[in-house]
Amino acid sequence: MTTNPLLDATGVVKTYGAVVALRNASLSVLPGEVHALMGANGAGKSTLVKILTGAIRADAGHILIRGETRDVRSPADARRAGLLPVYQEPSLIPDLDVASNLRLTDTPVEPFRAWVRELGIPDLDIRDTARDIPLAVLRVLDLARALAVEPDVLLLDEMTAALPANLAEKVLEVVRRQGDSGRSVIFISHRFVEISALCDRATVLRDGETVGVVDIEPGVEERIVEMMLGAKVEKTRVAARQASQAASPGNSRPRLGVANLRVGTKLNDVSFDLANGEVAGVVALEGQGQDELFAALAGSIRPSGGTIEVDGKPVKFAHPADAIRAGIAYVPGDRTEALTMQRSVRENIALPFSAALRNWGPINMAQERSRVVSAIERLQIDTRAQREVQRLSGGNQQKVTIARWIAAEAQTILCFDPTRGIDVGTKQEIYKLLRELADQGKSVLFYTSELEEVQRVCDRVIVIFGGRVVDVFPVELADEPALMRAAYGLPRGAKEDVGILADIHSSPVAKP
Amino acid sequence: SAEAKYTIGVSNTVQGNGWREEMICAIKAQALASGEVTKLNIAHRNTDAAGQLEDIRNLISAKVNAIVVNPADPAGIKSALEEATKAGIVVVAVDQAVTEPSAYIISNNQEQYAYLGAKWLFQQIGGKGDVVYMRGAAGASADSDRDKGFKKALAEFPDVKVVHEVFTGWQQDQGKQQILDFIATGSPFNGIWTSGIDNVIVDALVESQTPLVPVVGADNAGFVGQLNSVEGLVGAAVTNPGSIGGAGVTLALQILNGKKPAEQTVLVEPQLWENATEEGKAKLKSVADPSLSPEWPVSISIPEWTTYTKDQIIACKGPGE
Amino acid sequence: MTRLVRRQGWVAGLLVLFVVLLVITRLIQPGYGSGDFGSLVRAVLPYAFAVAAQTIVVIAGGIDLSVGAMMALTSVTAASMMDGASEEYALFVVPFVLAMGLVLGAVNGMLIVVTRVPDIVVTLATLFVLQGAALLVLGAPGGSVAEWLRATIVGTVAIPGLPEISAWIPKALVLLVVCLCIIWIPLKRSKLGLSIYAIGSSELAAFRSGVPVARTRIIAYALSGLFAAMGGLALTMSTGIGAPIPGPYLLASVAAVVLGGVALGGGKGGLLGPIVAVFVLRLVRTDLTLLAIDPNVTAIIEGAIMVAVVMFGAFITMRGRQS
Amino acid sequence: MTRLVRRQGWVAGLLVLFVVLLVITRLIQPGYGSGDFGSLVRAVLPYAFAVAAQTIVVIAGGIDLSVGAMMALTSVTAASMMDGASEEYALFVVPFVLAMGLVLGAVNGMLIVVTRVPDIVVTLATLFVLQGAALLVLGAPGGSVAEWLRATIVGTVAIPGLPEISAWIPKALVLLVVCLCIIWIPLKRSKLGLSIYAIGSSELAAFRSGVPVARTRIIAYALSGLFAAMGGLALTMSTGIGAPIPGPYLLASVAAVVLGGVALGGGKGGLLGPIVAVFVLRLVRTDLTLLAIDPNVTAIIEGAIMVAVVMFGAFITMRGRQS
Ligand SMILES: Nc1ncnc2c1ncn2[C@@H]1O[C@H](COP(=O)(O)OP(=O)(O)OP(=O)(O)O)[C@@H](O)[C@H]1O
Ligand SMILES: Nc1ncnc2c1ncn2[C@@H]1O[C@H](COP(=O)(O)OP(=O)(O)OP(=O)(O)O)[C@@H](O)[C@H]1O
Ligand SMILES: [Mg+2]
Ligand SMILES: [Mg+2]
C-alpha cells in the first residue's frame, strides 16, 4: 500500500474505574476508504470514536493525523483537524432551532440544506426547534451537518441503528459517495448487510483491543464474527414453531386479542390475535402507528377506541401497572425509557415486580435476590459495572430491560426493536431467548426495523401501514422483499423491488 | 370634637418579632381609641430600606394623611419621606430617628438603653470579669446605636472583657442556639448582656444546669416573670416600650389637628428595673404581667401618649376591624 | 407569525396581566398617576437587576444563590467609597463596582467549572462568604451616594413638546432599559449568547458542538455578577446608603424568573419575561397596600398569585400543545 | 467489605471528619465533655429533621423550598395549642401537629402532580403561603410547651451500671435516632422506598415499570412534611415557644443534603450522610465559637468550609473512578 493513512491511532487505552473500556486499540484509515469499526457490545467502539474526536481523553495512546501527532482536546479541535463525528446519541442542542444549531457550529446553511434534501428529507423547516424533531430525522440532520463542512474523516457511530429502512438507504448511498470522492469514513454498525455493501476494510475490536483488520469481500462475515466473539457462533435460523402447532390455534383462547384499536390520529384500526406460545412480528415503516400500538398495549397511553382482551377477558389499562398485572411487559428500543440509570442492576430488574401497585409492603429480600440472580445468569449480563446501570454498555443495558420481565414472569412480552444497536452474538441470544419463552407458552409481539430478523424469530408477521393492518404473512412467505413491499403499502405480489435490501448486490450503491 | 376623618399609613420592616408586634397593636389600639382615624393602611413585612421606600411610596399613592414609620435605616428612606412631606403628609418616625428634617420623631433612646443596662451589669459583677455580648441583627441601625451605648459603658470599666460577641438576629431560636453553643465550649463567664432576646437565654442556663450569672434584658413579659420567679437569678430589665407606636399615632393626630410639638424630636428615656435590691424587686413585682405574651414588653402603654386600655392593645384591632 | 405568538406568548400574557393590574389599580385609587408609576419603577429597579442576574445563569442551566449577597456587597462597597468623597470620585466608583461584580461573578463561575461542585452548592457557599464580606466592609448601614447618581433615577425624562407622554417616562425606567439592553441585545445576537443557551439546553450536546463550555459558563456567571453589581448600585442610588444585610432579592429573583417563563432547567426563555414579571409582582404589592389588606395575609396572597399564574400558564401551554 | 466501604465511602469520610473535628475541639477546649456533646445534639435536632425532610424529596428527584416555613408553621401551631393547656393535652397536640405536617406535605406533592408546575416553583409558592399562615397563627414568638415534652430532650439516658457511657448518650440523640429510624428503615426496605428512588432516577422508566409515579411523589412530599413537623416540634421543645419567622433551615438543609452525598438530581444517596453532615456543620460552628472568631468572619469561614469539603469529596470521587 503506497498511500499514507489519514488517521492512525495506536495503543489507545481508556479505563473507567474498574472497567477497561479500551485496552489496546488501534485504527488506521486510508484516504478515500470507508472503514468499518466492528465489535460486540461494549467492545469499545463508541469510546474510540469519542477519543478520536476529543469528546473524552485517552489514558494512553498515539494519534497521528496525516502523519503528524496532534493532540485533539475537544470536539472543536477535532473539527479543525478535519475529523467530524456523528455520535451514537443526537448532538443537536434540543432547545435551539436548527438554524441556531448551524450557527453555533459555523456550518454553512445552503450545503446543509442540500445534504438534508439528498438524505431524503425534502420538507425541513430550519426554524423548527430540535426538541420537536423526531429522533430519526435528528440523526439525519446530525449527518447533514457533518457533511456540510466537508470533513476529511467522517466518523459515524451506529448512524443507521435508529433509522427506518428508507432513510438508512439514503444514508448508505451518501456515505458510499464520500468514499468515492476521496474522503474517509469510519462506519460503525452491527448490520452486516450494510458493512458488506459499503465498506472497504474493517477493524475489529474485542474487549477493548484491536484483534484484526480485514478487507471486506464476500464470505468475510464469518471471520469477522469469529474475531469479534473469539469463538464461532452459529448464525442459524431459530426454528419456528412446528407447523402442526401453528395450525391448531383454535383449541385455546388467544392470549391477547386486539380488535379495532384506535389511538388518536396515528393508529386507525388494528385487529389481531396473539396466541399462547406465539411470536408475532410487526413490521412497519417509521411512524405508521406502531409506537402507539405498543404504548396502548403497555398501558402508557389510553386508546381512543377498540378493545383489548387478555385471555378472553376485556381489559382497560389506565397505567402500565395495570398492564403489568395483566402479565404484559414492554421492552422499548430506547433503553433510557425503561431503566433507572443511576440505580443498580438488581434494583432495575426488581422494580417491576417489587414496586407493584397497591402493595407497599416490605420487600422479600431473599426471594427477590434469587429471582434477580437467575435472570442475570440466564441473559449472561456483564455485571462488572452493576452498581449503576448507566455504566453498562448499550447491549448489556438492553439485556437488563429484558431480564426484568423474565424475573417478573410476564406472560406477554412486547418487544419494540429490542435488538437496536446490539451485536450479533447478543442478537442470537435474544432470538433464542424469545423462542424459548414462546416454547414455554409465553407470547411475544415483536416489532423490528431489521427485516431479516423476522424469519429468524417469528411465527407470523403483521404488517402495519398508515395505522392499519395491511397484511398478515405466514413466516414462510415473509422474505425481505415481500415484507418491504407490504410495508410500503403495496399489495402482495407487486413487481418492483423496493429499497437496498431487496437485492443488495445489484443495487447502484454496491461496490463495483 | 373627635370625629373620624384621617387615614394613617404605617410602615414597618420587621415581622414576626414580639416587640414590633406590640408596636403594631399599639398603633391599632391608639387609632381606635382616638376615634379620629377611619382607616389604617399597614405595610408590615420583612424587608430592607429599598423595600421600605417602596412601601412608603405606595402609602403616598394611597393618599394617607399621615405615615407612622419605624425606619429600616435612618438615612435610607430619606427620599421617600421627603416626597411624603411634599405631598402634605405628616410623617412620624417611631423607635428610631430618621435624617429627613421634615419628619417628626418620637423614639426610644437606644444608645441610652444599652448604656443603662451594661453599666448596671458591669457594676453588678464588681467592675471586672468576662461578659457575653448578645447583640441584635448585624447591620440594623438600632443595633449599632445600642453598640455605641454598650461601648461607652465598657470604656468606663477597663477590667471588663467581652469574651463572646454574637448577633442573635433578634431571633429567639437563634439566640438560644448560640448560648447553648457557647455554654458547650465550657468557657467561663460572669455576666450576659442581651439586646432583648432574654428569656430563652435564662432557659438555656437553667436547662444546661450552668451556674446562673447576672443577665440584662429588655422589659419583655417573659423575662420580667423570670426575674421575679427564677431562684438565684439576678438581672435587670431595661424598658423599651413597643407602645411607642401608639405614641406615634397620637403625635401624628396632634399635628394633623394643628398642634405641633415644640421640638421635632421627642425622646422617651428608658428605665432600668433590677432584682438586686428590695425596691427594685418591688418595682419588678408591680410591673409583671403574666397575662401578656412572653415576648411582649410589659410597658404596654406610655402615660400622656397613649389612651387605649390593656384589653384594646391585646385585642389588636384597629378602626373598622 | 403564529410561531412568534407561540414563542412570545408567555411574555405577551404577562404584559396583558400587567395592564389589567394597572387598570385595577386605577379603579382602586382613581388618582393613581404618572408620579405613582415613577415610584413603581424605582421600586422595581433593584429587583429587575437581581432578576436579570438570575435569568442569565438560569438560561445557562445554573442557578445563583449569591445574587442577594452580591448586591449587598457591591452596595456597601459603593456607599462606603463614596462616603465623604467628591462628586467626581463617583465617576470612578461606578465602573469600579461594576468590575467588582464582574470579577466576583467570574469567580463563582470558575469555582463551579474547576471544582465541578454543583452550582447550587458553590453559590450557596459564596452567599455566606459575600455576606460576611459585606459586613466587614460596613458593620451597619451607612455610607452615602453622589448627588448626581441619586438624581439619575429621580424625575422624568423631558421630551420637548410632549409633556403628557414624558411625564410617564421616569428616568429610572430609561436607566433600567438602557442598562439591560446595552448588555442583553448584543449578547442575544452574538455567538456567545447562543452558546449560553446551548450549554443550558444540553451541556453534552454543546460540548460536542464545539462550544467552549467552561468558558461560556464562567462568562454567564460574570455577566450575572455584573447585573448584580448594577442592582447593588441601584440600591445605593435609591436609598442613599449601603446596607450589609441582603434584602429579599434571592427568592424574589427566582420567583420572577419562573413567572417570566424561563425554565429552571435552562436553555429556554428570555430577559423580557422576567422583567415584566417583576413589574407585575411589584404592582401586586402596591395594590395590596392600597387595599389595606391585613399585612399577615399579604404573604399568603403573593404566594397564591404565583402558583395561580404559573399553573394557568402551564394549563395554557398544555392546551396549546394538544391542539 | 470493600464494597461496603466503597458504597458508604462518602458517609465514612464524613464520619472521620466528624471525629477529627471532635478531637480538634478537645484540643481547643480541653474541658469539652459529655455535657457539651449534649448541647451539640440539641443544637443539631431541628437541623437534622429539616435535612431529613429535604433528603427524602431530593432522592425522589425534587426539592422542597418550604421546609423552613413548614417548620415555622408547625412550631407556632404546637406552641399556641399548648399555651395554657394541660400537660396531657400535649399528648394530643403532638400527633395533631405531625398529621398536619403530613397533610401539608401531601398538599405540596399533590399541587406538583396535579398542576405539573415544577416542584421548585410550587414549594416556593407554598413557602410564602405557609410563612403567612405562621404569622396568622402567632404574630410574634409566643406560646409555650408542656414540661414533659421539654424534658424529653434534656439530660441523658441512664443505662444502669454504665454511668460513663450513658453520660455520652443525650436523650436528644436517642429521640433523633428513634424518630428517623422509625420512618427511614421500614421505608428503605419497602417497595415504596424502591419506588421513591426509581422516580428520582427516571420518572419515565419508573412509570413504564409500573410504579405509580404520582402517588409515590405525593407520599415522598408527605413524609417530608412529617419530618418538617418533627423539626417544628423540636424547635418548640428546645426554645419553649413558637417563632413564626422561618429560621435558617432551608439553606442549611440544602447544604447538608449536598454535603451528605445526596445528588441534587435525585435517585442517589441515603439519609445517614446528610445527618452526619449536619453534625459536622454544627460542630464547625461550635469550634468557631470556641476560637472566638469575629462573628462577621464566621459566615465567610462556614462558606469556605462547605466548598472545601464538597470539592475534596468531588476530587476523591474522581480519583476513585480513575484508579
Ligand atoms: N462513563 C463510563 N463509565 C464507566 N464505564 C463506561 C463508561 N462509558 C463506557 N463504559 C464502558 O466501556 C466499555 C465500552 O463501551 P462502549 O460504549 O465504547 O461500547 P460499544 O462498543 O460502543 O458498545 P455498543 O455496541 O453497545 O454501543 C463498556 O464496558 C462500558 O460499560
Ligand atoms: N411518563 C409519562 N408519560 C405519559 N403519561 C404519564 C407519564 N407519567 C405519568 N403519566 C400520566 O400521569 C397520570 C398519573 O400517573 P401515575 O403513574 O403517577 O398515576 P397513579 O399514581 O397510578 O394514579 P392512580 O393511583 O390514581 O391510578 C396518569 O394518567 C399517566 O397516564
Ligand atoms: Mg457504542
Ligand atoms: Mg450501542
mmCIF file of all heavy atoms in Angstrom, chain A residues 78-109:
data_model
loop_
_atom_site.group_PDB
_atom_site.id
_atom_site.type_symbol
_atom_site.label_atom_id
_atom_site.label_comp_id
_atom_site.label_asym_id
_atom_site.label_seq_id
_atom_site.Cartn_x
_atom_site.Cartn_y
_atom_site.Cartn_z
ATOM 1 N N ALA A 78 -11.063 18.766 17.057
ATOM 2 C CA ALA A 78 -11.230 17.703 16.063
ATOM 3 C C ALA A 78 -11.752 18.268 14.748
ATOM 4 O O ALA A 78 -11.303 17.898 13.672
ATOM 5 C CB ALA A 78 -12.178 16.636 16.606
ATOM 6 N N ARG A 79 -12.695 19.198 14.852
ATOM 7 C CA ARG A 79 -13.219 19.831 13.634
ATOM 8 C C ARG A 79 -12.106 20.497 12.858
ATOM 9 O O ARG A 79 -12.020 20.386 11.635
ATOM 10 C CB ARG A 79 -14.222 20.918 13.995
ATOM 11 C CG ARG A 79 -15.557 20.454 14.437
ATOM 12 C CD ARG A 79 -16.318 21.673 14.931
ATOM 13 N NE ARG A 79 -16.851 22.448 13.812
ATOM 14 C CZ ARG A 79 -18.028 22.190 13.264
ATOM 15 N NH1 ARG A 79 -18.759 21.198 13.706
ATOM 16 N NH2 ARG A 79 -18.470 22.915 12.261
ATOM 17 N N ARG A 80 -11.282 21.225 13.603
ATOM 18 C CA ARG A 80 -10.195 21.929 12.929
ATOM 19 C C ARG A 80 -9.239 20.952 12.260
ATOM 20 O O ARG A 80 -8.650 21.252 11.239
ATOM 21 C CB ARG A 80 -9.440 22.811 13.925
ATOM 22 C CG ARG A 80 -10.193 24.087 14.263
ATOM 23 C CD ARG A 80 -9.335 25.045 15.065
ATOM 24 N NE ARG A 80 -9.202 24.634 16.454
ATOM 25 C CZ ARG A 80 -10.087 24.929 17.399
ATOM 26 N NH1 ARG A 80 -11.158 25.644 17.100
ATOM 27 N NH2 ARG A 80 -9.921 24.511 18.641
ATOM 28 N N ALA A 81 -9.119 19.770 12.867
ATOM 29 C CA ALA A 81 -8.237 18.770 12.269
ATOM 30 C C ALA A 81 -8.927 18.004 11.149
ATOM 31 O O ALA A 81 -8.346 17.095 10.569
ATOM 32 C CB ALA A 81 -7.758 17.809 13.356
ATOM 33 N N GLY A 82 -10.182 18.332 10.869
ATOM 34 C CA GLY A 82 -10.884 17.684 9.776
ATOM 35 C C GLY A 82 -11.610 16.404 10.151
ATOM 36 O O GLY A 82 -12.018 15.638 9.284
ATOM 37 N N LEU A 83 -11.753 16.175 11.457
ATOM 38 C CA LEU A 83 -12.456 14.981 11.914
ATOM 39 C C LEU A 83 -13.849 15.377 12.393
ATOM 40 O O LEU A 83 -13.981 16.210 13.275
ATOM 41 C CB LEU A 83 -11.707 14.360 13.102
ATOM 42 C CG LEU A 83 -10.699 13.246 12.834
ATOM 43 C CD1 LEU A 83 -9.666 13.709 11.837
ATOM 44 C CD2 LEU A 83 -10.043 12.809 14.124
ATOM 45 N N LEU A 84 -14.862 14.785 11.820
ATOM 46 C CA LEU A 84 -16.201 15.132 12.254
ATOM 47 C C LEU A 84 -16.999 13.888 12.611
ATOM 48 O O LEU A 84 -17.165 13.003 11.790
ATOM 49 C CB LEU A 84 -16.930 15.925 11.168
ATOM 50 C CG LEU A 84 -17.526 17.179 11.765
ATOM 51 C CD1 LEU A 84 -16.424 18.163 12.050
ATOM 52 C CD2 LEU A 84 -18.554 17.753 10.866
ATOM 53 N N PRO A 85 -17.490 13.832 13.833
ATOM 54 C CA PRO A 85 -18.227 12.651 14.263
ATOM 55 C C PRO A 85 -19.738 12.841 14.175
ATOM 56 O O PRO A 85 -20.231 13.959 14.226
ATOM 57 C CB PRO A 85 -17.827 12.545 15.733
ATOM 58 C CG PRO A 85 -17.666 13.975 16.153
ATOM 59 C CD PRO A 85 -17.225 14.749 14.942
ATOM 60 N N VAL A 86 -20.439 11.744 14.021
ATOM 61 C CA VAL A 86 -21.856 11.714 14.345
ATOM 62 C C VAL A 86 -21.960 10.655 15.428
ATOM 63 O O VAL A 86 -21.764 9.476 15.182
ATOM 64 C CB VAL A 86 -22.729 11.339 13.136
ATOM 65 C CG1 VAL A 86 -24.183 11.215 13.556
ATOM 66 C CG2 VAL A 86 -22.579 12.387 12.048
ATOM 67 N N TYR A 87 -22.203 11.120 16.671
ATOM 68 C CA TYR A 87 -22.163 10.201 17.802
ATOM 69 C C TYR A 87 -23.399 9.325 17.849
ATOM 70 O O TYR A 87 -24.375 9.567 17.150
ATOM 71 C CB TYR A 87 -22.043 10.978 19.116
ATOM 72 C CG TYR A 87 -20.751 11.731 19.250
ATOM 73 C CD1 TYR A 87 -20.730 13.111 19.230
ATOM 74 C CD2 TYR A 87 -19.550 11.051 19.395
ATOM 75 C CE1 TYR A 87 -19.545 13.811 19.353
ATOM 76 C CE2 TYR A 87 -18.358 11.747 19.516
ATOM 77 C CZ TYR A 87 -18.362 13.132 19.497
ATOM 78 O OH TYR A 87 -17.192 13.824 19.621
ATOM 79 N N GLN A 88 -23.315 8.358 18.760
ATOM 80 C CA GLN A 88 -24.416 7.419 18.886
ATOM 81 C C GLN A 88 -25.700 8.113 19.387
ATOM 82 O O GLN A 88 -26.794 7.652 19.136
ATOM 83 C CB GLN A 88 -24.004 6.310 19.867
ATOM 84 C CG GLN A 88 -24.693 4.991 19.626
ATOM 85 C CD GLN A 88 -24.038 3.864 20.413
ATOM 86 O OE1 GLN A 88 -22.904 3.964 20.847
ATOM 87 N NE2 GLN A 88 -24.768 2.783 20.594
ATOM 88 N N GLU A 89 -25.529 9.219 20.119
ATOM 89 C CA GLU A 89 -26.692 9.967 20.593
ATOM 90 C C GLU A 89 -26.743 11.278 19.815
ATOM 91 O O GLU A 89 -25.719 11.824 19.458
ATOM 92 C CB GLU A 89 -26.556 10.290 22.083
ATOM 93 C CG GLU A 89 -26.231 9.113 22.981
ATOM 94 C CD GLU A 89 -24.735 8.760 22.998
ATOM 95 O OE1 GLU A 89 -23.915 9.660 22.770
ATOM 96 O OE2 GLU A 89 -24.416 7.577 23.208
ATOM 97 N N PRO A 90 -27.969 11.809 19.572
ATOM 98 C CA PRO A 90 -28.075 13.049 18.809
ATOM 99 C C PRO A 90 -27.331 14.192 19.505
ATOM 100 O O PRO A 90 -27.336 14.275 20.725
ATOM 101 C CB PRO A 90 -29.578 13.338 18.775
ATOM 102 C CG PRO A 90 -30.259 12.176 19.352
ATOM 103 C CD PRO A 90 -29.264 11.258 19.956
ATOM 104 N N SER A 91 -26.687 15.045 18.728
ATOM 105 C CA SER A 91 -25.877 16.113 19.315
ATOM 106 C C SER A 91 -26.406 17.507 19.037
ATOM 107 O O SER A 91 -25.736 18.483 19.309
ATOM 108 C CB SER A 91 -24.446 16.030 18.789
ATOM 109 O OG SER A 91 -23.864 14.843 19.229
ATOM 110 N N LEU A 92 -27.611 17.626 18.476
ATOM 111 C CA LEU A 92 -28.163 18.968 18.296
ATOM 112 C C LEU A 92 -28.624 19.488 19.659
ATOM 113 O O LEU A 92 -29.064 18.717 20.505
ATOM 114 C CB LEU A 92 -29.350 18.920 17.324
ATOM 115 C CG LEU A 92 -29.046 19.366 15.894
ATOM 116 C CD1 LEU A 92 -27.945 18.516 15.293
ATOM 117 C CD2 LEU A 92 -30.279 19.325 15.031
ATOM 118 N N ILE A 93 -28.502 20.806 19.847
ATOM 119 C CA ILE A 93 -28.962 21.392 21.106
ATOM 120 C C ILE A 93 -30.487 21.360 21.113
ATOM 121 O O ILE A 93 -31.120 21.976 20.252
ATOM 122 C CB ILE A 93 -28.504 22.863 21.224
ATOM 123 C CG1 ILE A 93 -27.014 23.014 20.908
ATOM 124 C CG2 ILE A 93 -28.864 23.425 22.594
ATOM 125 C CD1 ILE A 93 -26.089 22.444 21.913
ATOM 126 N N PRO A 94 -31.084 20.682 22.063
ATOM 127 C CA PRO A 94 -32.527 20.452 21.978
ATOM 128 C C PRO A 94 -33.373 21.713 21.967
ATOM 129 O O PRO A 94 -34.401 21.760 21.297
ATOM 130 C CB PRO A 94 -32.845 19.609 23.217
ATOM 131 C CG PRO A 94 -31.585 19.396 23.951
ATOM 132 C CD PRO A 94 -30.451 19.976 23.187
ATOM 133 N N ASP A 95 -32.951 22.767 22.699
ATOM 134 C CA ASP A 95 -33.818 23.940 22.791
ATOM 135 C C ASP A 95 -33.526 25.009 21.747
ATOM 136 O O ASP A 95 -34.154 26.055 21.759
ATOM 137 C CB ASP A 95 -33.712 24.559 24.197
ATOM 138 C CG ASP A 95 -34.339 23.666 25.233
ATOM 139 O OD1 ASP A 95 -35.508 23.297 25.044
ATOM 140 O OD2 ASP A 95 -33.658 23.302 26.203
ATOM 141 N N LEU A 96 -32.576 24.757 20.879
ATOM 142 C CA LEU A 96 -32.301 25.733 19.821
ATOM 143 C C LEU A 96 -32.926 25.239 18.529
ATOM 144 O O LEU A 96 -33.069 24.033 18.320
ATOM 145 C CB LEU A 96 -30.798 25.912 19.632
ATOM 146 C CG LEU A 96 -30.018 26.554 20.785
ATOM 147 C CD1 LEU A 96 -28.553 26.699 20.409
ATOM 148 C CD2 LEU A 96 -30.600 27.911 21.149
ATOM 149 N N ASP A 97 -33.274 26.180 17.662
ATOM 150 C CA ASP A 97 -33.787 25.725 16.376
ATOM 151 C C ASP A 97 -32.621 25.275 15.502
ATOM 152 O O ASP A 97 -31.443 25.463 15.856
ATOM 153 C CB ASP A 97 -34.643 26.806 15.692
ATOM 154 C CG ASP A 97 -33.885 28.095 15.468
ATOM 155 O OD1 ASP A 97 -32.647 28.072 15.570
ATOM 156 O OD2 ASP A 97 -34.522 29.124 15.193
ATOM 157 N N VAL A 98 -32.959 24.655 14.396
ATOM 158 C CA VAL A 98 -31.914 24.060 13.566
ATOM 159 C C VAL A 98 -30.951 25.134 13.078
ATOM 160 O O VAL A 98 -29.734 24.954 13.096
ATOM 161 C CB VAL A 98 -32.540 23.295 12.388
ATOM 162 C CG1 VAL A 98 -31.450 22.769 11.468
ATOM 163 C CG2 VAL A 98 -33.401 22.153 12.903
ATOM 164 N N ALA A 99 -31.507 26.299 12.683
ATOM 165 C CA ALA A 99 -30.656 27.367 12.163
ATOM 166 C C ALA A 99 -29.620 27.791 13.206
ATOM 167 O O ALA A 99 -28.432 27.958 12.896
ATOM 168 C CB ALA A 99 -31.517 28.564 11.757
ATOM 169 N N SER A 100 -30.057 27.951 14.464
ATOM 170 C CA SER A 100 -29.111 28.349 15.512
ATOM 171 C C SER A 100 -28.081 27.258 15.740
ATOM 172 O O SER A 100 -26.911 27.543 16.017
ATOM 173 C CB SER A 100 -29.847 28.623 16.815
ATOM 174 O OG SER A 100 -30.759 29.662 16.647
ATOM 175 N N ASN A 101 -28.522 26.021 15.641
ATOM 176 C CA ASN A 101 -27.572 24.927 15.794
ATOM 177 C C ASN A 101 -26.482 24.993 14.722
ATOM 178 O O ASN A 101 -25.324 24.711 14.988
ATOM 179 C CB ASN A 101 -28.300 23.585 15.710
ATOM 180 C CG ASN A 101 -28.690 23.065 17.080
ATOM 181 O OD1 ASN A 101 -27.831 22.745 17.896
ATOM 182 N ND2 ASN A 101 -29.980 23.025 17.353
ATOM 183 N N LEU A 102 -26.884 25.384 13.544
ATOM 184 C CA LEU A 102 -25.902 25.505 12.460
ATOM 185 C C LEU A 102 -24.939 26.653 12.750
ATOM 186 O O LEU A 102 -23.730 26.530 12.582
ATOM 187 C CB LEU A 102 -26.608 25.742 11.126
ATOM 188 C CG LEU A 102 -27.505 24.595 10.656
ATOM 189 C CD1 LEU A 102 -28.181 24.972 9.346
ATOM 190 C CD2 LEU A 102 -26.710 23.312 10.493
ATOM 191 N N ARG A 103 -25.518 27.786 13.213
ATOM 192 C CA ARG A 103 -24.669 28.936 13.509
ATOM 193 C C ARG A 103 -23.658 28.610 14.592
ATOM 194 O O ARG A 103 -22.512 29.015 14.557
ATOM 195 C CB ARG A 103 -25.550 30.092 13.980
ATOM 196 C CG ARG A 103 -25.356 31.354 13.169
ATOM 197 C CD ARG A 103 -26.180 32.454 13.759
ATOM 198 N NE ARG A 103 -25.377 33.323 14.588
ATOM 199 C CZ ARG A 103 -25.852 34.030 15.599
ATOM 200 N NH1 ARG A 103 -27.121 33.941 15.931
ATOM 201 N NH2 ARG A 103 -25.057 34.813 16.292
ATOM 202 N N LEU A 104 -24.127 27.847 15.561
ATOM 203 C CA LEU A 104 -23.276 27.510 16.694
ATOM 204 C C LEU A 104 -22.043 26.750 16.236
ATOM 205 O O LEU A 104 -20.963 26.913 16.785
ATOM 206 C CB LEU A 104 -24.084 26.663 17.672
ATOM 207 C CG LEU A 104 -23.551 26.537 19.083
ATOM 208 C CD1 LEU A 104 -23.516 27.891 19.753
ATOM 209 C CD2 LEU A 104 -24.449 25.597 19.884
ATOM 210 N N THR A 105 -22.215 25.909 15.233
ATOM 211 C CA THR A 105 -21.092 25.091 14.785
ATOM 212 C C THR A 105 -20.465 25.652 13.518
ATOM 213 O O THR A 105 -19.678 24.965 12.858
ATOM 214 C CB THR A 105 -21.557 23.652 14.518
ATOM 215 O OG1 THR A 105 -22.748 23.702 13.731
ATOM 216 C CG2 THR A 105 -21.848 22.928 15.807
ATOM 217 N N ASP A 106 -20.844 26.887 13.154
ATOM 218 C CA ASP A 106 -20.308 27.505 11.935
ATOM 219 C C ASP A 106 -20.533 26.640 10.697
ATOM 220 O O ASP A 106 -19.636 26.496 9.861
ATOM 221 C CB ASP A 106 -18.806 27.786 12.083
ATOM 222 C CG ASP A 106 -18.546 28.849 13.126
ATOM 223 O OD1 ASP A 106 -19.301 29.837 13.128
ATOM 224 O OD2 ASP A 106 -17.625 28.671 13.939
ATOM 225 N N THR A 107 -21.698 26.055 10.637
ATOM 226 C CA THR A 107 -21.985 25.214 9.474
ATOM 227 C C THR A 107 -22.686 26.049 8.409
ATOM 228 O O THR A 107 -23.663 26.737 8.720
ATOM 229 C CB THR A 107 -22.916 24.056 9.888
ATOM 230 O OG1 THR A 107 -22.339 23.406 11.011
ATOM 231 C CG2 THR A 107 -23.123 23.077 8.758
ATOM 232 N N PRO A 108 -22.196 26.015 7.173
ATOM 233 C CA PRO A 108 -22.878 26.772 6.122
ATOM 234 C C PRO A 108 -24.278 26.214 5.851
ATOM 235 O O PRO A 108 -24.470 25.000 5.825
ATOM 236 C CB PRO A 108 -21.975 26.599 4.905
ATOM 237 C CG PRO A 108 -21.134 25.407 5.210
ATOM 238 C CD PRO A 108 -21.008 25.314 6.692
ATOM 239 N N VAL A 109 -25.240 27.109 5.699
ATOM 240 C CA VAL A 109 -26.633 26.670 5.654
ATOM 241 C C VAL A 109 -26.997 25.999 4.336
ATOM 242 O O VAL A 109 -27.648 24.950 4.317
ATOM 243 C CB VAL A 109 -27.561 27.874 5.922
ATOM 244 C CG1 VAL A 109 -29.016 27.456 5.795
ATOM 245 C CG2 VAL A 109 -27.300 28.432 7.307
#
